[in-house]
Amino acid sequence: MASDLLSIAASGARAARSALDVTAQNIANASSEGYVRRSVRLEEVSAAGGPGRQGDISLSGARVAGIVRNADMFRQAEVRRTGSDLERAATELRGLENIESAVEQSGLFPSIVEFEASLLQLAADPTDPSLRAATLSAADTLARKFNIAVETLEAASEGLRFDAGAAVTEANVIGGELARVNLRLARAGAGSSDRASLLDQRDALLERMSGIVDISTSFAADGAVTVNTGGVNLVSGGNYTAMALVTNPDGTIALGVGSAPPFTPAGGRIAGAALALASSADVRIRLDNLANSISGAVNTAQSQGTAVDGSPGQPMFSGTGAAQIRVAISDSGMIATAPAGAPAGSLDGSNLAALRAAITNAGVVTSANGLLFDVSSAVSGRRLTLEALDSIASSARIALEQQAGVDLDTEAANLMRFQQAFQASGRAMQVASRIFDTLMEL
């Protein structure tokens, strides 16, 4: 009986010591990123009596059945999902802000207004050399502003593609690490501290991956994860299929995984970059259309008029699209202010009025203003979306930390509880020793 009491008390002391060790580990890692609180799972050890002793009481105390992570898979999945949405919105907003800056800071809209104003001033005296020079200078400034807008827009787009490429490279590194963690989990003992540490690594890597691209996950009994995106497995067991960034002819991007067709992800930084690049491509098309509208309206009016020397009007602009538009004439006297057939030095500015009317009818100012308004509205809308998603992601993060994080007050209480259990087991061992000594004296 005394020997049973001694072994039972010893098992209790060992169990309490293990619990104290895990509690100390929790306290030490209270500020460690990605650490999930652990607890010791204890089990009673008991057995029936041996042959011929079925009625005997045979108790053996307690044992450590394993180390348990205080993880909630649903909350972890919510953190990944909301974090992926937040990263997508943040990346798209940064891209749109750069697009907005590219269009606004180019000074395109003011240059269109100044060109129209120079035509109006020229109407006061169509033969005045200084007014003609000012009009030609305004036309050259307008063409250059188009060029600058496209160059700046392309620089912003190139930055987005560079960041997306870096994100894909990072995701491939993370995917390789996840495959290695899967292999190590297969070898780790169930309920061991090694497995708990590997599961922490797995969850941290999954969270980083979800910030880059939206993923879906499934878990095996040993904790190994299968990661899928766009219907294609990225990680399966110890295997990882690398991702690659695909750049389309219009500058937009897609994601390729293995031999599967490229697709646009729904979440993460790559999705945000793809959305911003799609907006950039749309802005580029509108800039090209705007440049072609101005060029077409002015050149058509020029062809219907006469220059100051009496020669037929020549195109004022050359090139197609915002990147290629240029001023095609070098002499301000070639601005066709007079109608066709007018003599040299004619003061008849009716063709100049037709040129101004053509620009107005083409809706150039309205189109330019609409472009700026649409880009600014998109930025404002994405800011509101980002604020809402940030609030949702923060709530998911707080819920996870409250459930899986280390609470120092709780751990301090556990220290006292397990210390008392250890001391009580030690006291039981002393009692067993005294009983054994008494029996030996009989």
Side-chain angles (χ1 to χ4, degrees):
M1 179 66 183
S3 61
D4 288 345
L5 178 59
L6 184 61
S7 63
I8 291 171
S11 71
R14 287 192 296 270
R17 179 178 175 179
S18 297
L20 283 170
D21 289 343
V22 171
T23 302
Q25 181 78 355
N26 288 338
I27 294 172
N29 288 279
S31 299
S32 297
E33 185 177 356
Y35 180 82
V36 176
R37 178 181 177 272
R38 276 96 150 126
S39 59
V40 173
R41 181 162 57 88
L42 303 178
E43 288 183 352
E44 178 189 11
V45 179
S46 62
R53 299 175 54 197
Q54 284 81 3
D56 290 355
I57 298 175
S58 180
L59 304 175
S60 302
R63 69 181 181 91
V64 175
I67 296 176
V68 180
R69 295 170 71 244
N70 193 35
D72 186 310
M73 296 182 66
F74 172 76
R75 287 187 172 92
Q76 289 175 333
E78 279 298 289
V79 167
R80 291 195 295 269
R81 182 185 64 80
T82 56
S84 183
D85 290 342
L86 180 62
E87 288 291 339
R88 180 202 65 220
T91 303
E92 183 186 9
L93 177 59
R94 286 193 297 271
L96 288 175
E97 287 174 339
N98 291 336
I99 293 170
E100 182 184 34
S101 297
V103 177
E104 287 187 348
Q105 295 179 10
S106 67
L108 179 60
F109 182 77
S111 68
I112 294 174
V113 175
E114 289 172 5
F115 179 61
E116 283 197 321
S118 69
L119 293 175
L120 181 61
Q121 292 172 352
L122 182 59
D125 187 357
T127 60
D128 187 330
S130 62
L131 292 178
R132 282 180 167 270
T135 300
L136 187 61
S137 176
D140 184 65
T141 299
L142 174 59
R144 292 180 182 276
K145 294 298 185 182
F146 270 113
N147 302 154
I148 291 171
V150 171
E151 290 172 1
T152 312
L153 183 65
E154 180 56 32
S157 299
E158 187 59 33
L160 284 166
R161 285 189 288 269
F162 178 83
D163 291 342
V168 169
T169 300
E170 182 184 354
N172 286 332
V173 172
I174 294 171
E177 288 295 324
L178 278 169
R180 283 188 284 274
V181 168
N182 280 347
L183 293 176
R184 293 173 63 188
L185 280 169
R187 297 191 294 266
S192 65
S193 59
D194 183 36
R195 171 164 288 187
S197 178
L198 287 171
L199 292 176
D200 281 356
Q201 293 179 36
R202 180 203 67 186
D203 293 341
L205 290 169
L206 287 175
E207 187 173 335
R208 287 175 57 194
M209 177 76 84
S210 66
I212 298 172
V213 62
D214 61 302
I215 57 175
S216 59
T217 57
S218 58
F219 299 93
D222 62 0
V225 63
T226 298
V227 181
N228 183 286
T229 184
V232 184
N233 282 345
L234 291 176
V235 180
S236 181
N239 300 316
Y240 173 68
T241 303
M243 296 186 293
L245 196 67
V246 178
T247 302
N248 299 315
D250 62 353
T252 57
I253 59 173
L255 195 61
V257 181
S259 59
F263 65 96
T264 301
R269 298 202 300 271
I270 297 175
L275 289 172
L277 285 168
S279 298
S280 177
D282 178 66
V283 170
R284 174 64 185 272
I285 291 172
R286 294 177 68 174
L287 283 173
D288 287 342
N289 292 338
L290 185 59
N292 291 337
S293 295
I294 292 177
S295 177
V298 172
N299 289 345
T300 299
Q302 278 281 110
S303 67
Q304 296 172 353
T306 303
V308 71
D309 61 357
S311 62
Q314 301 297 316
M316 183 179 294
F317 294 106
S318 63
T320 303
Q324 299 177 356
I325 187 172
R326 302 286 190 277
V327 171
I329 58 177
S330 57
D331 183 0
S332 61
M334 299 178 70
I335 300 176
T337 56
S346 174
L347 295 176
D348 186 351
S350 58
N351 195 61
L352 180 60
L355 190 153
R356 290 166 48 207
I359 295 176
T360 301
N361 293 336
V364 172
V365 174
T366 302
S367 297
N369 187 52
L371 174 59
L372 290 172
F373 177 79
D374 290 346
V375 173
S376 298
S377 296
V379 170
S380 298
R382 297 307 186 279
R383 284 196 182 117
L384 292 175
T385 300
L386 181 62
E387 291 175 2
L389 290 175
D390 183 52
S391 177
I392 294 171
S394 296
S395 297
R397 169 70 61 186
I398 291 171
L400 177 62
E401 289 179 351
Q402 288 177 342
Q403 184 271 326
V406 176
D407 179 66
L408 291 178
D409 291 337
T410 301
E411 300 305 323
N414 285 338
L415 276 178
M416 295 181 62
R417 181 163 64 93
F418 294 132
Q419 182 185 14
Q420 290 174 352
F422 184 83
Q423 291 172 343
S425 294
R427 181 60 178 166
M429 292 169 67
Q430 291 176 356
V431 171
S433 178
R434 290 174 184 174
I435 292 174
F436 184 76
D437 291 339
T438 301
L439 289 175
M440 291 295 294
E441 292 173 357
L442 293 178

